[in-house]
């Protein structure tokens, strides 16, 4: 079948400072990934097209972008899932460096700000594992799936209007530790997320949940963190 | 030279091995990690089924059994001292990962849950044993995330999206690396006392692969170009269950949980090839069996794939006929929810890419290029070895898939890759820091970046008569056909000649993108250069080995030949050709036996 791929182009290095779209008509299979089409364009139509990608099956998070206006991973969307013309644009709310590549640093900085690591230096005397029941483990399972692709944060209207907001992905990662029965720094994280840049910036738009390629219930996780901040309890 | 950096230890690669090395090296030395991807995007994150350790949480197990299984799995080409060390270290290192916060799945008593995996057995009963410690079917993701989190906690220095293009060697010692910063195109020289390569594998040599785009053999190619040999490159693992055509991995955990492979007659054919452990034979055995089924006309609908069936009714039917019981003696039975809980990601992959729901339909699978048993030769300390006498290159280390210790020999067991990268990543990190503490910086030559400039100029000034993508396609196709699951003298020779031709044509690759900012076209071309070097060394090593062992299966030499070939291959790139040498296998406890599953 034939489709048209419209790709956002921007490259100040060669004076291409006004964002434009380039269109490519391609002969494709309905089961091709959008990423396959981008590779085709880069290989045979325009070698200067730039984008990030690695695993090509939705687990590394490199190729998050807007596909027909929605945040998706290009390797997880098939041609048959979208209508032509297929429009590809960089994530919103982060500085575009070139074509579909955005500056990830502010996103990573927000992630680092919520203490995204286990805090608990006590280990059992026998040196073995700390015990955790399957129920305790299930409590935070959903938020362990995050691959830091930024699809959620860059779909969030609150993030667009307030770049200081840590955003859904950082809160998801805080949730992963706050509700882990082994961790001891929940109160520090809740304090961080009680600040202006924290959870109260969330207006429950639900965009994040729709955007997550890992199907994490992001809005629910944020609500659980809000409740914990408000009540001071993890129950 | 505008961008100069000095660190005691520089680690190239931010996957599991690189991050584990970073955690240990940074405790004793000023350390930096250079990664061509953001570290959390490394291919470790794609590992699914688990990390092997004889914890014995749910049934009897011990490190001796794990050691023997790994030696047997390696088809007796693994170095037994290193294997024993790894299997012993497995237990404390899995606990260490738990202490770091890794969210392992849990058994009812709160201990780390374990599942069955191919080739891992109770050595007394010969039956599969629960040895793979897992976090659903995203164990690699959890290891990568946990190690990265710990690196943030410990304030490890990262240079993200820096592509290393050259290793600096001065008077036989490692002295640093040269890298390009992808965002700016600027070159950076990193002067170091110790360099650790943890750059991963090279599955992108083949057409159907489970490997990420980034898996282009950079570490092996860079070191080959500096006169360092590559070990056992003919041994590349084809995982039996990649999604048909796409190659995306479907974990062996599917069969560990009771899934079975079926041919076009609906027959569970592994019963014929491996009567004792059946679908849980080691990967080389299963991939070859699938190939033979297709060759004999039993591929599904006449095509070159098999069905993988994990529907609860199928699992329960075979669990009943096998008499499979839980550790408490009750019959093993599963529901759809059990499968969904234990294998959520692969169910998602099948729904996304195939429109197939594994709880209700069978998955079409074929062998997919998956893992490099071979790589940069190292010893158990992660030190790089430059010859057949195991001479160490001062200051150079390698760990993870890029390295060949060798703990996997001719065929790796599932769950042993994640184990390898944490165990030997740790060793390399410790030793690199120790070495740095006891030595001075080697002076860099004035023209440290000259070879890197030469490489970049070649692309910038290339005639453009050839396209990177075309050459890559031709390489993948010929390697898939002739240096894949089954091999012949004629086919491998043809592949060797074709790769040599492609290397010539590669000199005429040019670039449309002449810019510096995220010039990913140049990166693709450079990576293809690495893949071609690696493919050539693979084909030359393979055609020379006149026997069948592990993943190297020849139709013209179908038997293992311990008298002549129980030895490691070493391959050097010298003056545009590949020279081969050999070195002995370390045998401590286990004399080679016939390998049956």
């Amino acid at each position: 079948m034939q489709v048209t791929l419209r790709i956002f182009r921007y490259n100040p290095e060669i004076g291409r400072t006004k964002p434009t779209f380039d269109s490519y008509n391609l002969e494709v299979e309905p089961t091709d990934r959008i990423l396959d089409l981008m590779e085709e364009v880069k290989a045979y139509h325009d070698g200067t097209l730039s984008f990030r990608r690695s695993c090509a099956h939705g687990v590394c998070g490199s190729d998050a972008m807007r596909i027909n206006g929605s945040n998706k991973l290009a390797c997880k969307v098939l041609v048959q899932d979208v209508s032509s013309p297929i429009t590809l644009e960089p994530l919103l709310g982060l500085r575009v460096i070139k074509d579909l590549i955005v500056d990830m640093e502010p996103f990573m900085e927000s992630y680092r700000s919520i203490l995204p690591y286990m805090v608990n230096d006590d280990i059992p005397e026998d040196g073995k594992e700390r015990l955790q029941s399957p129920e305790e483990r299930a409590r935070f399972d959903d938020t362990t799936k995050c691959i830091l692709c930024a699809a959620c944060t860059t779909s969030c209207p609150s993030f667009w209007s307030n770049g200081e907001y840590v955003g859904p992905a950082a809160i998801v990662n805080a949730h992963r530790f706050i509700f882990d029965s082994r961790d001891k720094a929940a109160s520090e994280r809740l304090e961080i997320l009680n600040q202006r840049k924290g959870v109260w910036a969330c207006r429950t738009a639900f965009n994040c949940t729709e955007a997550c390629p890992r199907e994490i219930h992001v809005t629910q996780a944020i609500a659980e963190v809000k409740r914990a901040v408000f009540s001071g309890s993890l129950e | 030279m505008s961008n100069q950096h000095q660190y005691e230890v520089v680690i190239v690669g931010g996957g599991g091995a690189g991050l584990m090395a970073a955690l240990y090296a940074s405790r004793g030395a000023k350390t930096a990690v250079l990664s061509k991807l953001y570290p959390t995007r490394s291919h470790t994150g794609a590992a699914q089924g688990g990390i092997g350790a004889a914890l014995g949480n749910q049934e009897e197990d011990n490190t001796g059994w794990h050691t023997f299984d790994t030696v047997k799995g390696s088809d007796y080409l693994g170095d037994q001292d290193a294997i024993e060390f790894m299997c012993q270290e497995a237990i404390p290192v899995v606990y260490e990962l738990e202490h770091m916060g890794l969210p392992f799945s849990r058994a009812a008593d709160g201990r780390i849950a374990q599942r069955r995996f191919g080739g891992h057995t109770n050595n007394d009963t010969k039956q599969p044993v629960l040895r793979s410690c897992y976090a659903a079917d995203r164990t690699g993701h959890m290891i990568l995330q946990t190690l990265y989190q710990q690196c943030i906690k410990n304030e490890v220095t990262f240079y993200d999206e820096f592509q290393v293009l050259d290793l600096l060697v001065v008077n036989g010692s490692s002295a640093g690396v040269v890298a390009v910063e992808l965002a700016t195109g600027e070159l950076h020289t990193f002067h170091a006392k110790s360099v650790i390569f943890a750059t991963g594998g090279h599955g992108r040599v083949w057409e159907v692969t489970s490997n990420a785009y980034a898996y282009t053999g950079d570490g092996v190619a860079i070191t080959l170009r500096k006169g360092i040999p590559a070990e056992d490159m003919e041994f590349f693992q084809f995982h039996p269950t990649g999604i048909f055509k796409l190659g995306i991995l479907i974990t062996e955990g599917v069969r560990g949980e009771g899934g079975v492979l079926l041919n076009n007659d609906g027959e569970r054919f592994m019963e014929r090839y491996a009567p004792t452990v059946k679908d849980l034979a080691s990967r080389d055995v299963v991939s070859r069996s699938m190939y033979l089924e297709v060759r004999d006309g039993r591929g599904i609908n006449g095509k070159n794939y098999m069905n993988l069936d994990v529907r609860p009714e199928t699992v329960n039917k075979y669990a009943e006929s096998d008499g499979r019981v839980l550790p408490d003696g009750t019959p093993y039975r599963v529901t759809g929810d059990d499968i969904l809980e234990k294998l959520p990601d692969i169910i998602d992959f099948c729904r996304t890419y195939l429109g197939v729901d594994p709880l209700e339909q069978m998955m079409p699978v074929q062998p997919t290029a998956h893992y490099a048993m071979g790589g940069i030769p190292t010893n158990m300390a992660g030190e790089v070895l430059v010859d057949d006498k195991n001479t160490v290159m001062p200051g150079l280390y390698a760990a993870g898939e890029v390295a060949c210790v060798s703990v996997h020999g001719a065929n790796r067991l599932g769950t042993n890759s994640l184990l390898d990268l944490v165990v030997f990543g740790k060793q390399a990190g410790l030793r690199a820091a120790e070495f740095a503490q006891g030595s001075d910086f080697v002076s860099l030559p004035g023209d440290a970046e000259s070879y890197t400039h030469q490489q970049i100029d070649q692309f910038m000034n290339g005639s453009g008569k050839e396209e990177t993508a075309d050459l890559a396609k031709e390489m993948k196709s010929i390697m898939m056909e002739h240096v894949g699951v089954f091999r012949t003298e004629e086919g491998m020779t043809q592949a060797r000649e074709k790769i040599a031709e492609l290397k010539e044509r590669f000199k005429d690759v040019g670039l449309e993108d002449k810019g510096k900012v995220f010039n990913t076209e140049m990166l693709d071309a450079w990576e293809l250069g690495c893949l071609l070097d690696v493919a050539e060394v693979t084909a030359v090593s393979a055609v020379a080995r006149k026997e069948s062992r592990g993943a190297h299966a020849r139709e013209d030499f179908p038997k293992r030949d311990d008298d002549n070939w129980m030895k490691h291959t070493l391959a050097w790139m010298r003056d545009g050709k590949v020279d081969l040498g050999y070195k002995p296998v370390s045998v401590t406890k286990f004399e080679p036996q016939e390998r049956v599953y």
Side-chain angles (χ1 to χ4, degrees), chain B residues 75-99:
Chain B
D75 219 348
Y76 295 90
L77 193 72
D79 290 315
Q80 296 181 12
D81 48 352
I83 291 172
E84 187 168 14
F85 174 76
M86 177 178 78
C87 295
Q88 285 169 352
E89 286 294 304
I91 295 174
V93 88
V94 164
Y95 291 138
E96 185 180 359
L97 290 171
E98 196 283 328
H99 299 156

PDB file of all heavy atoms in Angstrom, chain B residues 75-99:
ATOM      1  N   ASP B  75      29.249 -26.678  25.463  1.00  0.00           N
ATOM      2  CA  ASP B  75      29.795 -27.783  24.655  1.00  0.00           C
ATOM      3  C   ASP B  75      31.294 -27.946  24.925  1.00  0.00           C
ATOM      4  O   ASP B  75      32.087 -28.191  24.026  1.00  0.00           O
ATOM      5  CB  ASP B  75      29.489 -27.596  23.163  1.00  0.00           C
ATOM      6  CG  ASP B  75      29.129 -28.916  22.476  1.00  0.00           C
ATOM      7  OD1 ASP B  75      29.334 -29.978  23.099  1.00  0.00           O
ATOM      8  OD2 ASP B  75      28.657 -28.883  21.319  1.00  0.00           O
ATOM      9  N   TYR B  76      31.631 -27.771  26.196  1.00  0.00           N
ATOM     10  CA  TYR B  76      32.989 -27.996  26.714  1.00  0.00           C
ATOM     11  C   TYR B  76      34.027 -27.033  26.154  1.00  0.00           C
ATOM     12  O   TYR B  76      35.216 -27.284  26.225  1.00  0.00           O
ATOM     13  CB  TYR B  76      33.399 -29.467  26.524  1.00  0.00           C
ATOM     14  CG  TYR B  76      32.509 -30.363  27.354  1.00  0.00           C
ATOM     15  CD1 TYR B  76      31.327 -30.871  26.835  1.00  0.00           C
ATOM     16  CD2 TYR B  76      32.807 -30.612  28.692  1.00  0.00           C
ATOM     17  CE1 TYR B  76      30.468 -31.625  27.608  1.00  0.00           C
ATOM     18  CE2 TYR B  76      31.954 -31.369  29.482  1.00  0.00           C
ATOM     19  CZ  TYR B  76      30.788 -31.873  28.939  1.00  0.00           C
ATOM     20  OH  TYR B  76      29.938 -32.606  29.725  1.00  0.00           O
ATOM     21  N   LEU B  77      33.565 -25.908  25.612  1.00  0.00           N
ATOM     22  CA  LEU B  77      34.525 -24.898  25.167  1.00  0.00           C
ATOM     23  C   LEU B  77      34.694 -23.779  26.195  1.00  0.00           C
ATOM     24  O   LEU B  77      35.608 -22.974  26.116  1.00  0.00           O
ATOM     25  CB  LEU B  77      34.087 -24.304  23.817  1.00  0.00           C
ATOM     26  CG  LEU B  77      35.155 -23.471  23.103  1.00  0.00           C
ATOM     27  CD1 LEU B  77      36.252 -24.383  22.543  1.00  0.00           C
ATOM     28  CD2 LEU B  77      34.563 -22.636  21.977  1.00  0.00           C
ATOM     29  N   GLY B  78      33.807 -23.719  27.191  1.00  0.00           N
ATOM     30  CA  GLY B  78      33.947 -22.695  28.220  1.00  0.00           C
ATOM     31  C   GLY B  78      35.130 -23.011  29.132  1.00  0.00           C
ATOM     32  O   GLY B  78      35.486 -24.173  29.324  1.00  0.00           O
ATOM     33  N   ASP B  79      35.742 -21.971  29.676  1.00  0.00           N
ATOM     34  CA  ASP B  79      36.860 -22.174  30.604  1.00  0.00           C
ATOM     35  C   ASP B  79      36.293 -22.489  31.985  1.00  0.00           C
ATOM     36  O   ASP B  79      35.608 -21.674  32.593  1.00  0.00           O
ATOM     37  CB  ASP B  79      37.752 -20.928  30.636  1.00  0.00           C
ATOM     38  CG  ASP B  79      38.523 -20.772  29.332  1.00  0.00           C
ATOM     39  OD1 ASP B  79      39.064 -21.795  28.852  1.00  0.00           O
ATOM     40  OD2 ASP B  79      38.574 -19.657  28.796  1.00  0.00           O
ATOM     41  N   GLN B  80      36.612 -23.670  32.463  1.00  0.00           N
ATOM     42  CA  GLN B  80      35.900 -24.185  33.636  1.00  0.00           C
ATOM     43  C   GLN B  80      36.210 -23.432  34.916  1.00  0.00           C
ATOM     44  O   GLN B  80      35.361 -23.321  35.800  1.00  0.00           O
ATOM     45  CB  GLN B  80      36.176 -25.690  33.783  1.00  0.00           C
ATOM     46  CG  GLN B  80      35.618 -26.476  32.588  1.00  0.00           C
ATOM     47  CD  GLN B  80      35.831 -27.969  32.688  1.00  0.00           C
ATOM     48  OE1 GLN B  80      36.209 -28.485  33.744  1.00  0.00           O
ATOM     49  NE2 GLN B  80      35.581 -28.679  31.593  1.00  0.00           N
ATOM     50  N   ASP B  81      37.437 -22.895  35.031  1.00  0.00           N
ATOM     51  CA  ASP B  81      37.751 -22.112  36.236  1.00  0.00           C
ATOM     52  C   ASP B  81      36.880 -20.848  36.283  1.00  0.00           C
ATOM     53  O   ASP B  81      36.329 -20.478  37.317  1.00  0.00           O
ATOM     54  CB  ASP B  81      39.244 -21.768  36.309  1.00  0.00           C
ATOM     55  CG  ASP B  81      39.798 -21.195  35.005  1.00  0.00           C
ATOM     56  OD1 ASP B  81      39.075 -21.194  33.972  1.00  0.00           O
ATOM     57  OD2 ASP B  81      40.965 -20.749  35.013  1.00  0.00           O
ATOM     58  N   ALA B  82      36.736 -20.210  35.113  1.00  0.00           N
ATOM     59  CA  ALA B  82      35.933 -18.977  35.053  1.00  0.00           C
ATOM     60  C   ALA B  82      34.452 -19.276  35.282  1.00  0.00           C
ATOM     61  O   ALA B  82      33.746 -18.511  35.947  1.00  0.00           O
ATOM     62  CB  ALA B  82      36.130 -18.289  33.706  1.00  0.00           C
ATOM     63  N   ILE B  83      33.994 -20.394  34.733  1.00  0.00           N
ATOM     64  CA  ILE B  83      32.582 -20.765  34.902  1.00  0.00           C
ATOM     65  C   ILE B  83      32.280 -21.041  36.379  1.00  0.00           C
ATOM     66  O   ILE B  83      31.277 -20.584  36.927  1.00  0.00           O
ATOM     67  CB  ILE B  83      32.238 -21.994  34.032  1.00  0.00           C
ATOM     68  CG1 ILE B  83      32.280 -21.595  32.553  1.00  0.00           C
ATOM     69  CG2 ILE B  83      30.870 -22.568  34.407  1.00  0.00           C
ATOM     70  CD1 ILE B  83      32.141 -22.764  31.579  1.00  0.00           C
ATOM     71  N   GLU B  84      33.177 -21.761  37.018  1.00  0.00           N
ATOM     72  CA  GLU B  84      32.965 -22.073  38.434  1.00  0.00           C
ATOM     73  C   GLU B  84      32.925 -20.786  39.263  1.00  0.00           C
ATOM     74  O   GLU B  84      32.068 -20.612  40.137  1.00  0.00           O
ATOM     75  CB  GLU B  84      34.085 -23.000  38.934  1.00  0.00           C
ATOM     76  CG  GLU B  84      33.841 -23.496  40.344  1.00  0.00           C
ATOM     77  CD  GLU B  84      34.791 -24.629  40.734  1.00  0.00           C
ATOM     78  OE1 GLU B  84      35.795 -24.848  40.027  1.00  0.00           O
ATOM     79  OE2 GLU B  84      34.518 -25.271  41.756  1.00  0.00           O
ATOM     80  N   PHE B  85      33.848 -19.876  38.948  1.00  0.00           N
ATOM     81  CA  PHE B  85      33.888 -18.584  39.644  1.00  0.00           C
ATOM     82  C   PHE B  85      32.568 -17.835  39.452  1.00  0.00           C
ATOM     83  O   PHE B  85      31.969 -17.341  40.405  1.00  0.00           O
ATOM     84  CB  PHE B  85      35.068 -17.759  39.110  1.00  0.00           C
ATOM     85  CG  PHE B  85      35.127 -16.359  39.640  1.00  0.00           C
ATOM     86  CD1 PHE B  85      35.576 -16.113  40.932  1.00  0.00           C
ATOM     87  CD2 PHE B  85      34.741 -15.276  38.852  1.00  0.00           C
ATOM     88  CE1 PHE B  85      35.636 -14.821  41.431  1.00  0.00           C
ATOM     89  CE2 PHE B  85      34.792 -13.975  39.344  1.00  0.00           C
ATOM     90  CZ  PHE B  85      35.240 -13.745  40.634  1.00  0.00           C
ATOM     91  N   MET B  86      32.089 -17.780  38.205  1.00  0.00           N
ATOM     92  CA  MET B  86      30.849 -17.046  37.924  1.00  0.00           C
ATOM     93  C   MET B  86      29.665 -17.657  38.676  1.00  0.00           C
ATOM     94  O   MET B  86      28.840 -16.933  39.252  1.00  0.00           O
ATOM     95  CB  MET B  86      30.572 -17.034  36.420  1.00  0.00           C
ATOM     96  CG  MET B  86      29.263 -16.342  36.051  1.00  0.00           C
ATOM     97  SD  MET B  86      28.950 -16.279  34.277  1.00  0.00           S
ATOM     98  CE  MET B  86      28.374 -17.949  33.975  1.00  0.00           C
ATOM     99  N   CYS B  87      29.583 -18.978  38.660  1.00  0.00           N
ATOM    100  CA  CYS B  87      28.422 -19.622  39.294  1.00  0.00           C
ATOM    101  C   CYS B  87      28.462 -19.468  40.815  1.00  0.00           C
ATOM    102  O   CYS B  87      27.414 -19.396  41.463  1.00  0.00           O
ATOM    103  CB  CYS B  87      28.340 -21.087  38.870  1.00  0.00           C
ATOM    104  SG  CYS B  87      28.017 -21.264  37.102  1.00  0.00           S
ATOM    105  N   GLN B  88      29.666 -19.415  41.380  1.00  0.00           N
ATOM    106  CA  GLN B  88      29.764 -19.158  42.820  1.00  0.00           C
ATOM    107  C   GLN B  88      29.405 -17.719  43.156  1.00  0.00           C
ATOM    108  O   GLN B  88      28.709 -17.448  44.129  1.00  0.00           O
ATOM    109  CB  GLN B  88      31.180 -19.478  43.315  1.00  0.00           C
ATOM    110  CG  GLN B  88      31.423 -20.965  43.407  1.00  0.00           C
ATOM    111  CD  GLN B  88      32.877 -21.319  43.643  1.00  0.00           C
ATOM    112  OE1 GLN B  88      33.757 -20.458  43.594  1.00  0.00           O
ATOM    113  NE2 GLN B  88      33.141 -22.590  43.877  1.00  0.00           N
ATOM    114  N   GLU B  89      29.905 -16.797  42.337  1.00  0.00           N
ATOM    115  CA  GLU B  89      29.604 -15.376  42.556  1.00  0.00           C
ATOM    116  C   GLU B  89      28.121 -15.060  42.341  1.00  0.00           C
ATOM    117  O   GLU B  89      27.625 -14.028  42.791  1.00  0.00           O
ATOM    118  CB  GLU B  89      30.438 -14.513  41.597  1.00  0.00           C
ATOM    119  CG  GLU B  89      31.907 -14.421  41.965  1.00  0.00           C
ATOM    120  CD  GLU B  89      32.105 -13.685  43.270  1.00  0.00           C
ATOM    121  OE1 GLU B  89      31.643 -12.534  43.384  1.00  0.00           O
ATOM    122  OE2 GLU B  89      32.707 -14.271  44.188  1.00  0.00           O
ATOM    123  N   ALA B  90      27.440 -15.933  41.590  1.00  0.00           N
ATOM    124  CA  ALA B  90      26.043 -15.667  41.225  1.00  0.00           C
ATOM    125  C   ALA B  90      25.184 -15.401  42.465  1.00  0.00           C
ATOM    126  O   ALA B  90      24.373 -14.469  42.480  1.00  0.00           O
ATOM    127  CB  ALA B  90      25.473 -16.852  40.446  1.00  0.00           C
ATOM    128  N   ILE B  91      25.373 -16.213  43.474  1.00  0.00           N
ATOM    129  CA  ILE B  91      24.494 -16.102  44.639  1.00  0.00           C
ATOM    130  C   ILE B  91      24.680 -14.756  45.351  1.00  0.00           C
ATOM    131  O   ILE B  91      23.718 -14.006  45.502  1.00  0.00           O
ATOM    132  CB  ILE B  91      24.691 -17.317  45.574  1.00  0.00           C
ATOM    133  CG1 ILE B  91      24.216 -18.569  44.824  1.00  0.00           C
ATOM    134  CG2 ILE B  91      23.945 -17.125  46.889  1.00  0.00           C
ATOM    135  CD1 ILE B  91      24.460 -19.869  45.547  1.00  0.00           C
ATOM    136  N   PRO B  92      25.923 -14.404  45.764  1.00  0.00           N
ATOM    137  CA  PRO B  92      26.051 -13.088  46.413  1.00  0.00           C
ATOM    138  C   PRO B  92      25.671 -11.915  45.512  1.00  0.00           C
ATOM    139  O   PRO B  92      25.148 -10.911  45.995  1.00  0.00           O
ATOM    140  CB  PRO B  92      27.536 -13.014  46.810  1.00  0.00           C
ATOM    141  CG  PRO B  92      28.224 -14.124  46.104  1.00  0.00           C
ATOM    142  CD  PRO B  92      27.185 -15.166  45.809  1.00  0.00           C
ATOM    143  N   VAL B  93      25.905 -12.037  44.203  1.00  0.00           N
ATOM    144  CA  VAL B  93      25.628 -10.876  43.352  1.00  0.00           C
ATOM    145  C   VAL B  93      24.123 -10.685  43.155  1.00  0.00           C
ATOM    146  O   VAL B  93      23.642  -9.553  43.047  1.00  0.00           O
ATOM    147  CB  VAL B  93      26.413 -10.974  42.016  1.00  0.00           C
ATOM    148  CG1 VAL B  93      25.635 -11.731  40.948  1.00  0.00           C
ATOM    149  CG2 VAL B  93      26.761  -9.579  41.491  1.00  0.00           C
ATOM    150  N   VAL B  94      23.365 -11.767  43.139  1.00  0.00           N
ATOM    151  CA  VAL B  94      21.901 -11.613  43.044  1.00  0.00           C
ATOM    152  C   VAL B  94      21.373 -10.972  44.331  1.00  0.00           C
ATOM    153  O   VAL B  94      20.527 -10.074  44.287  1.00  0.00           O
ATOM    154  CB  VAL B  94      21.216 -12.968  42.760  1.00  0.00           C
ATOM    155  CG1 VAL B  94      19.716 -12.897  43.055  1.00  0.00           C
ATOM    156  CG2 VAL B  94      21.446 -13.368  41.302  1.00  0.00           C
ATOM    157  N   TYR B  95      21.912 -11.390  45.475  1.00  0.00           N
ATOM    158  CA  TYR B  95      21.501 -10.733  46.719  1.00  0.00           C
ATOM    159  C   TYR B  95      21.904  -9.263  46.707  1.00  0.00           C
ATOM    160  O   TYR B  95      21.171  -8.392  47.181  1.00  0.00           O
ATOM    161  CB  TYR B  95      22.116 -11.443  47.937  1.00  0.00           C
ATOM    162  CG  TYR B  95      21.538 -12.817  48.182  1.00  0.00           C
ATOM    163  CD1 TYR B  95      22.357 -13.886  48.538  1.00  0.00           C
ATOM    164  CD2 TYR B  95      20.167 -13.044  48.060  1.00  0.00           C
ATOM    165  CE1 TYR B  95      21.833 -15.148  48.770  1.00  0.00           C
ATOM    166  CE2 TYR B  95      19.635 -14.304  48.284  1.00  0.00           C
ATOM    167  CZ  TYR B  95      20.472 -15.350  48.632  1.00  0.00           C
ATOM    168  OH  TYR B  95      19.938 -16.586  48.852  1.00  0.00           O
ATOM    169  N   GLU B  96      23.077  -8.983  46.140  1.00  0.00           N
ATOM    170  CA  GLU B  96      23.526  -7.592  46.073  1.00  0.00           C
ATOM    171  C   GLU B  96      22.553  -6.749  45.232  1.00  0.00           C
ATOM    172  O   GLU B  96      22.215  -5.616  45.601  1.00  0.00           O
ATOM    173  CB  GLU B  96      24.940  -7.536  45.478  1.00  0.00           C
ATOM    174  CG  GLU B  96      25.530  -6.138  45.472  1.00  0.00           C
ATOM    175  CD  GLU B  96      26.937  -6.091  44.875  1.00  0.00           C
ATOM    176  OE1 GLU B  96      27.477  -7.154  44.472  1.00  0.00           O
ATOM    177  OE2 GLU B  96      27.481  -4.981  44.792  1.00  0.00           O
ATOM    178  N   LEU B  97      22.104  -7.314  44.120  1.00  0.00           N
ATOM    179  CA  LEU B  97      21.132  -6.592  43.285  1.00  0.00           C
ATOM    180  C   LEU B  97      19.846  -6.345  44.060  1.00  0.00           C
ATOM    181  O   LEU B  97      19.237  -5.274  43.968  1.00  0.00           O
ATOM    182  CB  LEU B  97      20.826  -7.386  42.006  1.00  0.00           C
ATOM    183  CG  LEU B  97      21.954  -7.468  40.972  1.00  0.00           C
ATOM    184  CD1 LEU B  97      21.589  -8.470  39.872  1.00  0.00           C
ATOM    185  CD2 LEU B  97      22.265  -6.107  40.361  1.00  0.00           C
ATOM    186  N   GLU B  98      19.435  -7.334  44.833  1.00  0.00           N
ATOM    187  CA  GLU B  98      18.225  -7.147  45.656  1.00  0.00           C
ATOM    188  C   GLU B  98      18.460  -6.024  46.665  1.00  0.00           C
ATOM    189  O   GLU B  98      17.611  -5.162  46.857  1.00  0.00           O
ATOM    190  CB  GLU B  98      17.845  -8.454  46.354  1.00  0.00           C
ATOM    191  CG  GLU B  98      16.416  -8.461  46.914  1.00  0.00           C
ATOM    192  CD  GLU B  98      16.265  -7.678  48.204  1.00  0.00           C
ATOM    193  OE1 GLU B  98      17.227  -7.616  49.007  1.00  0.00           O
ATOM    194  OE2 GLU B  98      15.183  -7.105  48.425  1.00  0.00           O
ATOM    195  N   HIS B  99      19.634  -6.003  47.263  1.00  0.00           N
ATOM    196  CA  HIS B  99      19.927  -4.956  48.243  1.00  0.00           C
ATOM    197  C   HIS B  99      19.940  -3.581  47.583  1.00  0.00           C
ATOM    198  O   HIS B  99      19.608  -2.573  48.210  1.00  0.00           O
ATOM    199  CB  HIS B  99      21.263  -5.229  48.942  1.00  0.00           C
ATOM    200  CG  HIS B  99      21.263  -6.523  49.701  1.00  0.00           C
ATOM    201  ND1 HIS B  99      22.423  -7.209  49.997  1.00  0.00           N
ATOM    202  CD2 HIS B  99      20.250  -7.270  50.205  1.00  0.00           C
ATOM    203  CE1 HIS B  99      22.109  -8.328  50.654  1.00  0.00           C
ATOM    204  NE2 HIS B  99      20.797  -8.375  50.789  1.00  0.00           N
TER     205      HIS B  99
END
